[in-house]
Amino acid sequence: MADQKEMVSSWCVYILRCADQTLYTGVTTDPDRRLKEHNESDRLGAKYTRVRRPVELVYQEPRDNRSLACQREAAIKKLSRKAKLELINSVS
């Protein structure tokens, strides 16, 4: 049986634009909290984003569960930079 917390959580795939204009993709249940962690925490933010602050949330896409979010994250990470930018611009 699935974990109760996972059943009520809505997962999200997100893309951040870092200060050096690189893109970072991740998954979370709380994009606002995660963005704050990336920008402010030396313990909770990703190692990649710590040296590329500030970061800006430029894209998010809801998914029904963690598995689907992780699958979509993997698919986005395989995209070229140009394709990622097109994805970001498609919702702007």
Side-chain angles (χ1 to χ4, degrees):
M1 188 166 149
D3 179 54
Q4 179 113 7
K5 185 176 181 184
E6 186 171 331
M7 290 173 56
V8 296
S9 298
S10 72
W11 285 83
C12 176
V13 181
Y14 64 91
I15 300 175
L16 303 175
R17 179 176 289 120
C18 301
D20 65 358
Q21 299 304 306
T22 58
L23 300 172
Y24 174 88
T25 305
V27 299
T28 186
T29 56
D30 186 344
D32 293 331
R33 172 190 49 82
R34 193 67 182 126
L35 178 62
K36 186 174 181 174
E37 289 171 355
H38 280 295
N39 274 317
E40 298 174 10
S41 176
D42 288 333
R43 189 174 59 84
L44 300 173
K47 224 184 254 191
Y48 183 85
T49 61
R50 276 183 221 150
V51 296
R52 293 170 172 83
R53 292 177 179 158
V55 298
E56 170 191 13
L57 181 65
V58 293
Y59 181 80
Q60 58 184 348
E61 185 179 300
R63 287 290 180 242
D64 290 336
N65 57 53
R66 184 177 185 191
S67 177
L68 292 174
C70 289
Q71 288 173 24
R72 181 62 174 146
E73 175 192 25
I76 290 173
K77 285 182 173 186
K78 288 180 183 176
L79 296 175
S80 67
R81 177 177 172 80
K82 181 180 177 184
K84 289 176 191 175
L85 292 172
E86 288 172 0
L87 180 63
I88 292 165
N89 291 330
S90 72
V91 294
S92 298

